[in-house]
Amino acid sequence: MVTHTAPGAATPAHDRPADGLRLRRDAELSEADGRLGVSGPAGTLRLRDLPPGAKAALSALATADVTEADLTATVVAGDGLAGLLRWNMLLRQLAMNGLLEYAADGVRLRPAGTGPVEPAAPLDPDTRVRLSRFAVATAEDGVLTVRSPRHPGVVELAPAAAGLLGALADWTTPAELPGDERALRFFAGAGLLTRTGEEDDRSHAQWSPRDLWLHAHSRGPRVAARYGGSYPLRSRFGPEPASPPAFGGSRIPLPRPDLELVAKADPPLTEALERRRSVREHDPAEPITVRELGELLYRSMRRRDVFTGDDGQQLADRPYPSGGSVHELELYPLVVSCQGVEPGLWHYDTADHALERVAEPGPATGILVDRARAAAVMEADPQVLLVVSARFGRVMWKYETIAYSLVLKHVGVLYQTLYLVGTAMGLAVCGLGGGDATDFATASGLDYLTEGSVGELVVGSRRGA
């Protein structure tokens, strides 16, 4: 079996032909049993009975940028003029399968997802265009990459061509722009240009660039090839353990409820669903107890089992579902008033069903309480603020484009679990719509990028319960 793999590094601008194309850099051309195959993120394109000229041209595409004139000469030399029609059909097939990259004088158009990518037709010189407000530019391997969240194509700009971005910041025409007009065709082909005001169309105006980026890249492989369990960090880092490091503070073992008795006393599921409300008022005369807090955490969040997956990652089982069983969420009860628990920030140990001390009450924890009180529109401080955090590496070691969207889904199912259990127990539960991850990092001492807050709920005793 002979294999040719397209290199990952971008070809330097001075080495590129003025007009060329090649197989996408993450594609692989292989031959087995006399049959050629081109493998990409969307699968393998099988090619049967290719004549020698087409085989030679395809091999050239797999190794470097090649001009269409050189490809034509290779095909004609091997297959004669009659082979050109079949070759052009094959090129079209490769383009429609998102398997080609295009280069022109310091600018490159390449696919990043599984959808088709081609340069657009030439624009009229007087057409007014502007860079889409959804375009995102990043620096990668010495070039600027520009993308739209709605398109599988990426435009790469060498430093000499980067000025085109600034020129497209406002309305302009192709006739007024510097450089090769093919660069503008690459921008249009990657969905990076708008010819109308995007703010005037409701379907576009309602989206912020950040939200549309997250939505598009977490909902399928068309615009992001490494979709699902792609294990982006496996080659550099090992997986994180199921349990986080202990904080080392004082510990409170929590009472474990008898689930058989709980099941007999609980209202039916439908009743709990129908009774569920966000309750923002707590009973100051009878604050929530350590037994009630322990039961709420045990029934909602405890770790029931831990096991090792086929990929070597420690996985867990809890009462609520988690994608891939990674269970990256942690709970930090910030206690203001709870019978049996001193005020301060605590961490819930899901494995041992215990609370461990994280921080004493102070200005940093006070800010979290004040923000929660304001967000819940409460007249008094909440008795307990449950801060939901995520150990991001637990998810991001395995998942790439969908990692953060998975975290948010997990927060949602944990919210519902806490709501239903709290309702069944007669507690006051209210989920909050937002919080400040920087404030939590300050209060907990945790690194913002390693483990950060992603949700908050206030919990307390319910009047008359």
Side-chain angles (χ1 to χ4, degrees), residues 33-230:
D33 301 326
R35 297 176 58 186
L36 287 175
V38 183
S39 301
T44 300
L45 180 64
R46 301 293 180 185
L47 305 172
R48 298 181 179 179
D49 304 323
L50 282 185
K55 280 187 177 182
L58 194 57
S59 295
L61 278 177
T63 56
D65 289 329
V66 191
T67 65
E68 292 201 43
D70 287 342
L71 289 172
T72 297
T74 300
V75 171
V76 171
D79 308 332
L81 289 173
L84 274 182
L85 177 60
R86 181 172 182 180
W87 170 250
N88 288 330
M89 292 175 62
L90 174 58
L91 269 186
R92 182 65 180 162
Q93 191 176 11
L94 292 171
M96 293 309 295
N97 281 274
L99 292 169
L100 292 181
E101 297 185 7
Y102 307 84
D105 198 20
V107 185
R108 179 177 292 270
L109 172 63
R110 64 174 178 86
T114 60
V117 175
E118 291 184 282
L123 278 67
D124 186 282
D126 296 324
T127 301
R128 283 168 52 82
V129 294
R130 188 181 68 182
L131 193 68
S132 168
R133 72 184 183 94
F134 298 110
V136 174
T138 56
E140 298 177 19
D141 299 325
V143 297
L144 277 178
T145 65
V146 193
R147 293 200 60 181
S148 164
R150 296 194 60 201
H151 199 279
V154 176
V155 169
E156 293 182 348
L157 298 170
L164 184 58
L165 267 183
L168 286 169
D170 200 358
W171 292 108
T172 186
T173 66
E176 298 171 320
L177 289 171
D180 195 325
E181 64 90 21
R182 288 172 298 183
L184 198 61
R185 293 175 57 191
F186 286 3
F187 269 75
L192 294 168
L193 301 181
T194 179
R195 305 184 194 189
T196 59
E198 292 168 316
E199 298 82 358
D200 299 330
D201 175 66
R202 178 169 181 169
S203 63
H204 287 80
Q206 65 189 359
W207 285 95
S208 73
R210 296 176 186 85
D211 286 345
L212 187 56
W213 184 272
L214 178 61
H215 176 64
H217 284 72
S218 61
R219 296 303 304 164
R222 182 178 178 275
V223 298
R226 297 177 60 82
Y227 186 79
S230 58

